[in-house]
Amino acid sequence: MPWPCTCVKKGFTFHLSKDVPTLISNNIEDIMVDAFKPFGINDWNSLFYITHLGGRAILDGVEKKLGLDKDKMKESRYVLSEYGNLTGACVLFILDEMRKRSVEEGRSTTGKGFDYGVLLGFGPGITVETIVLRSCLLNN
């Protein structure tokens, strides 16, 4: 699947196929099972999420397919609304936003109080990069 990208004076633009959110959501649970099976984790709401901002439809599809509580994508949605799709750099903004909110809310870890989380990245091809994350303890 091509990833048409056009460089313009203010940055670059790209347009995703309308099939991308469905492709991702149809496969996300198998990807999560593969990533978390070694840790014995299969409750997707017991994790924190750093989800690449492929767009609202992708976030909605992942959330629905995994049966996530509405607050699981809160930081991703905030970064999308404030900055737009920052491509791969967005995950750093989301990590920072989650860390800040965890401190402000008095959580025990940088992952909203959860020990484990997942970073989901989406790219051309269509590829899904999955990284299992371990949060840091906060000294509140």
Side-chain angles (χ1 to χ4, degrees):
M1 177 176 302
W3 192 59
C5 177
T6 307
C7 291
V8 294
K9 205 173 204 177
K10 293 182 180 180
F12 64 92
T13 63
F14 61 93
H15 302 280
L16 297 176
S17 164
K18 64 180 176 61
D19 299 328
V20 169
T22 302
L23 286 169
I24 291 171
S25 64
N26 284 347
N27 293 285
I28 196 67
E29 190 159 27
D30 290 339
I31 291 165
M32 293 289 287
V33 167
D34 288 345
F36 284 95
K37 189 174 186 178
F39 300 93
I41 297 172
N42 58 12
D43 175 2
W44 308 135
N45 279 300
S46 70
L47 304 168
F48 64 90
Y49 287 79
I50 306 298
T51 308
H52 176 261
L53 307 175
R56 195 178 75 197
I58 291 175
L59 295 177
D60 292 345
V62 169
E63 192 176 71
K64 183 177 179 183
K65 184 68 173 190
L66 297 178
L68 299 179
D69 296 336
K70 287 293 181 189
D71 69 333
K72 291 295 178 181
M73 300 283 184
K74 189 175 182 179
E75 291 77 14
S76 294
R77 292 181 188 284
Y78 173 79
V79 170
L80 181 61
S81 72
E82 290 296 306
Y83 304 101
N85 186 344
L86 300 168
T87 64
C90 71
V91 296
L92 299 175
F93 281 70
I94 299 164
L95 278 166
D96 189 50
E97 185 63 28
M98 183 171 291
R99 179 195 55 79
K100 286 191 278 189
R101 288 183 184 199
S102 293
V103 169
E104 289 169 4
E105 295 170 5
R107 305 291 182 133
S108 59
T109 71
T110 54
K112 295 169 49 168
F114 295 99
D115 291 328
Y116 287 95
V118 63
L119 186 150
L120 297 169
F122 312 115
I126 187 88
T127 57
V128 179
E129 294 85 19
T130 308
I131 301 173
V132 174
L133 301 173
R134 184 89 191 248
S135 57
C136 297
L137 290 176
L138 290 171
N139 297 321
N140 293 327

